[in-house]
Amino acid sequence: MKKILVFDHSAVVDLYRERERILKNKFGYDIEMVIPFHWMEGSKDTKANKNDYFKIYLASTFLTNNVPLFIYNPFTVIKALLKSKPDIIDIHEEPYSLSCIEIIFLKSIFSRKSKVVFYSAQNILKRYPFPFNLFEKIAYKCSKAAYTCSSEVTSVLIKKGYKKKIMEIPLGIDEKLYRPGIDIEDINKKYDLDSFTIGFIGRIEYQKGIFDLIEALNLMKEYKWKCIIVGNGSSLSDVKKKVEEYWLADRVIFTGAVVPEDIPLYMNAMDVLIVPSRTTSNWKEQFGRVIAEAMACGLPVIGSDSGAIPEVIGSGGVIFKEGDIDGLKNSMIKLMENKEYRERLKKNALEKVKQYSWNSISRQFDELYSYIIKE
């Protein structure tokens, strides 16, 4: 039985550990994980639950919630390396990050025979300053393979000189949780959702395109709709001011951040999900797991062409040019007025999302791990 030690800050969310459960129970890997005590996920500070089908080491972290700069408690890392004696160390952190170089350094002392694979979601070609450029080169040299969440990320790794095996493996979703047909009577009553419902789920930040959505809604006042915005963020107060300014307060609902387990309920109450992300000088949409989750609920998605959004949506929704307010407005109106079109997109979404199931993802990781073990 091959032993895999996984480091993943996002695994504080119980739902995001389904890959490891399947790899253990279906593919026979001996899995152990190192995860933080807590991490900000989905606009909420999430505390990790260590009870699972496999051993989990909870680690305190320094500079928590800062992906490139945080590190795990080195004593916890050393303990996990010594007890686990892994064949493969799966570092679900960026290769330039402090946490990645920390794990590689400690591995070189306490678990020298272990083979390393790392993850990247960086889809902008960046030249990092010292010492991060050095960290990146060390990760490239010390790893046996890498996995990415989109073709854009793979292209960046290749352009930066990574010559080893790269597998594109999308982020996974739980099809048992994210599904159509969930009872939404209570949520409809709570928010009085009696018309076409437009949804937004995510961080309330400029780069997420939330202001573009409000501008588009302002051009649709003559239509019957409601909009439900799920999430929190630094731009929330400014967005609410804009909603008030446009006299949309009776039609735009703010729920705040909700626990991940409740997201499918909100998705089932929506008729369309809007993902209007805007590319900035140092960020563009890297994947957009909420897109896959929405499609699993049979929810059509209207997304901008920022980053990986078109790749993730495929035929399960509509793409508009980022920042094109009229394009977003027209896409929403077409979905609102054409039920047959909506149903066709729903069918496409449910078909497309099969590639994001945890079973599909786990099969690809089995292939990746098998390759590394043979190397």
Side-chain angles (χ1 to χ4, degrees):
M1 183 181 292
K2 298 302 181 181
K3 299 199 72 170
I4 315 292
L5 180 61
V6 181
F7 291 82
D8 183 359
H9 68 266
S10 67
V12 294
V13 178
D14 183 77
L15 296 173
Y16 297 168
R17 301 201 291 263
E18 190 62 23
R19 175 192 72 163
E20 285 74 21
R21 296 181 190 114
I22 295 172
L23 285 169
K24 176 180 174 61
N25 297 330
K26 184 175 181 179
F27 293 95
Y29 289 96
D30 187 355
I31 300 281
E32 295 188 357
M33 295 192 80
V34 178
I35 65 176
F37 276 102
H38 67 100
W39 194 269
M40 190 68 71
E41 283 288 332
S43 304
K44 289 182 71 69
D45 187 34
T46 304
K47 293 182 179 179
N49 174 11
K50 67 180 296 184
N51 296 320
D52 219 309
Y53 294 109
F54 43 81
K55 173 72 175 176
I56 292 179
Y57 300 88
L58 292 182
S60 55
T61 50
F62 306 92
L63 296 178
T64 305
N65 299 320
N66 190 320
V67 172
L69 296 180
F70 93 95
I71 63 171
Y72 293 94
N73 184 326
F75 295 106
T76 306
V77 175
I78 293 168
K79 178 182 178 182
L81 291 170
L82 291 174
K83 286 196 170 186
S84 178
K85 297 181 177 61
D87 296 292
I88 296 175
I89 299 173
D90 181 344
I91 306 175
H92 195 85
E93 312 291 350
E94 292 288 346
Y96 61 85
S97 66
L98 276 175
S99 58
C100 184
I101 199 66
E102 172 199 19
I103 296 161
I104 289 173
F105 172 72
L106 294 175
K107 171 260 177 200
S108 70
I109 301 172
F110 299 100
S111 189
R112 298 182 67 180
K113 292 183 179 181
S114 301
K115 298 177 180 180
V116 170
V117 59
F118 68 81
Y119 167 75
S120 183
Q122 181 52 264
N123 56 351
I124 297 177
L125 185 60
K126 295 181 179 181
R127 302 298 178 186
Y128 299 109
F130 182 84
F132 299 99
N133 57 351
L134 178 60
F135 296 165
E136 189 174 56
K137 289 178 181 178
I138 293 171
Y140 286 6
K141 181 179 179 179
C142 294
S143 62
K144 293 293 184 181
Y147 59 99
T148 68
C149 60
S150 75
S151 59
E152 280 191 330
V153 183
T154 299
S155 177
V156 167
L157 280 181
I158 292 171
K159 287 177 181 177
K160 298 192 87 169
Y162 192 73
K163 301 184 186 304
K164 299 173 185 177
K165 185 176 180 65
I166 304 172
M167 281 191 67
E168 289 172 23
I169 306 178
L171 302 183
I173 56 102
D174 187 345
E175 290 181 299
K176 294 178 183 176
L177 180 66
Y178 293 93
R179 56 184 173 80
I182 296 174
D183 184 3
I184 56 172
E185 183 178 354
D186 289 344
I187 201 167
N188 281 343
K189 287 181 179 179
K190 181 177 180 179
Y191 296 111
D192 193 24
L193 301 178
D194 57 355
S195 55
F196 187 85
T197 302
I198 298 161
F200 176 96
I201 300 175
R203 291 183 290 115
I204 313 299
E205 309 286 352
Y206 167 80
Q207 66 268 27
K208 288 297 186 176
I210 184 66
F211 291 99
D212 290 345
L213 174 57
I214 302 304
E215 293 293 336
L217 293 174
N218 186 46
L219 300 177
M220 296 168 53
K221 286 180 177 176
E222 69 271 29
Y223 295 90
K224 189 177 180 182
W225 54 264
K226 284 195 174 178
C227 178
I228 186 164
I229 296 175
V230 181
N232 209 340
S234 63
S235 296
L236 180 59
S237 60
D238 290 335
V239 173
K240 287 184 174 180
K241 287 178 184 177
K242 185 63 68 174
V243 167
E244 293 283 350
E245 178 185 333
Y246 288 155
W247 296 89
L248 296 174
D250 60 332
R251 304 173 76 176
V252 178
I253 300 157
F254 295 90
T255 70
V258 302
V259 296
E261 292 79 7
D262 285 345
I263 294 295
L265 179 64
Y266 287 88
M267 287 179 168
N268 271 263
M270 299 171 183
D271 293 296
V272 62
L273 180 76
I274 312 300
V275 185
S277 302
R278 270 188 176 246
T279 299
T280 67
S281 60
N282 61 1
W283 180 90
K284 58 180 174 178
E285 195 65 66
Q286 295 176 330
F287 184 81
R289 194 197 296 261
V290 70
I291 297 170
E293 293 168 344
M295 292 195 297
C297 293
L299 182 61
V301 180
I302 297 176
S304 76
D305 59 357
S306 173
I309 291 175
E311 186 177 338
V312 178
I313 290 179
S315 61
V318 182
I319 303 299
F320 70 96
K321 186 174 179 58
E322 60 178 283
D324 181 1
I325 308 301
D326 285 330
L328 173 55
K329 177 200 71 174
N330 293 335
S331 296
M332 289 192 287
I333 291 171
K334 184 177 180 179
L335 269 174
M336 190 185 308
E337 294 186 325
N338 191 331
K339 185 176 181 181
E340 182 180 338
Y341 179 54
R342 233 167 36 234
E343 289 300 314
R344 185 164 72 250
L345 290 181
K346 176 179 178 177
K347 183 179 178 181
N348 291 347
L350 289 170
E351 183 62 32
K352 168 74 173 176
V353 81
K354 291 177 181 178
Q355 70 186 73
Y356 304 131
S357 72
W358 281 121
N359 278 314
S360 174
I361 302 301
S362 300
R363 280 194 298 271
Q364 294 174 74
F365 272 98
D366 176 48
E367 179 185 338
L368 177 61
Y369 290 163
S370 297
Y371 167 84
I372 295 170
I373 289 167
K374 291 174 183 177
E375 271 289 289

